[in-house]
Amino acid sequence: MLKNLKKYNIILASKSPRRKELLAMLDIPFEIKVKDVIDESYPADMPVVEVPEYLARIKGRAYSADIKGNDMVITADTVVILDDVIYGKPHDEEDAVEMLMRLQGRTHTVASGVCVATKEKIKSFTVCTAVTFAPISREEAAWYVDRYRPLDKAGAYGIQEWIGCAAVAAIDGSFYNVMGLPVHQLYKVLKEEF
């Protein structure tokens, strides 16, 4: 599939093991390259749903000087949004438990921005998924954080882990987007735009 991509050296610019796993599911060859430090600040007045695509494009621009003629760089950013507030990666275990307690019993939005860049073209997009958590106790949240260590995950949870089975009551949209890469939309863009 995606014979149009054979001319490209595809680079996933992400440390996320979940993004690596999800991109591999599209059955296209790629390598991983990661820059150490990229400024991920954004304008304070930016609508929160626009932030992940903005950050994905910033990450894409950080690699633009390194793009050779046949390189294609894929960057992404995922955030959890509740009450117009962004919940990124927790600072520590206590912060993770507090995030989960704010999310429990409510519906939040997971927004992922993706940027695909070549020498000739940049295409970016955002995918949003609504996730409803059932009520959970602080004890359950603390147990999950202690056992699964979700400190590298936006909103302090991984839907593919215990908490997805025990606490996610409903999902409206892409499951894979909640994991960190909306592969269906990415596949469409790669097939139609490149």
Side-chain angles (χ1 to χ4, degrees):
M1 296 312 296
L2 297 179
K3 292 182 176 120
N4 59 314
L5 298 183
K6 288 192 185 293
K7 63 185 175 184
Y8 292 111
N9 174 41
I10 300 171
I11 299 164
L12 175 62
S14 175
K15 291 184 231 178
S16 167
R18 291 159 302 281
R19 288 197 184 114
K20 177 183 176 185
E21 175 188 347
L22 291 170
L23 186 57
M25 289 171 66
L26 288 181
D27 207 20
I28 55 176
F30 66 94
E31 61 182 295
I32 293 176
K33 288 186 182 172
V34 180
K35 288 192 177 283
D36 286 337
V37 180
I38 296 174
D39 178 17
E40 294 189 31
S41 55
Y42 53 88
D45 60 345
M46 176 174 280
V48 291
V49 77
E50 294 177 14
V51 168
E53 185 172 339
Y54 176 85
L55 293 177
R57 288 181 71 90
I58 282 178
K59 292 174 183 178
R61 279 196 292 277
Y63 288 85
S64 62
D66 301 331
I67 295 177
K68 296 177 183 67
N70 65 335
D71 286 347
M72 172 185 284
V73 177
I74 299 171
T75 56
D77 196 84
T78 300
V79 298
V80 167
I81 302 168
L82 178 67
D83 296 331
D84 223 25
V85 173
I86 290 177
Y87 292 85
K89 296 172 186 170
H91 303 297
D92 55 28
E93 292 84 359
E94 186 178 327
D95 190 32
V97 171
E98 289 306 318
M99 281 187 191
L100 293 172
M101 295 314 297
R102 283 188 221 107
L103 297 177
Q104 64 90 24
R106 306 208 37 216
T107 300
H108 61 272
T109 300
V110 177
S112 292
V114 178
C115 179
V116 182
T118 65
K119 272 284 191 206
E120 297 81 34
K121 190 178 214 176
I122 293 179
K123 176 75 178 172
S124 64
F125 59 89
T126 300
V127 173
C128 293
T129 303
V131 179
T132 302
F133 266 36
I136 60 171
S137 68
R138 183 172 290 276
E139 180 184 13
E140 288 170 309
W143 179 86
Y144 168 71
V145 169
D146 184 57
R147 172 138 175 131
Y148 288 87
R149 316 291 303 156
L151 303 181
D152 64 336
K153 297 174 177 73
Y157 77 93
I159 195 167
Q160 71 280 10
E161 297 170 341
W162 174 86
I163 202 156
C165 298
V168 173
I171 180 170
D172 184 8
S174 168
F175 174 86
Y176 295 121
N177 181 49
V178 183
M179 279 183 70
L181 190 65
V183 284
H184 172 72
Q185 185 62 30
L186 178 58
Y187 179 80
K188 265 178 75 175
V189 167
L190 293 174
K191 183 167 72 169
E192 296 169 6
E193 301 286 336
F194 295 90

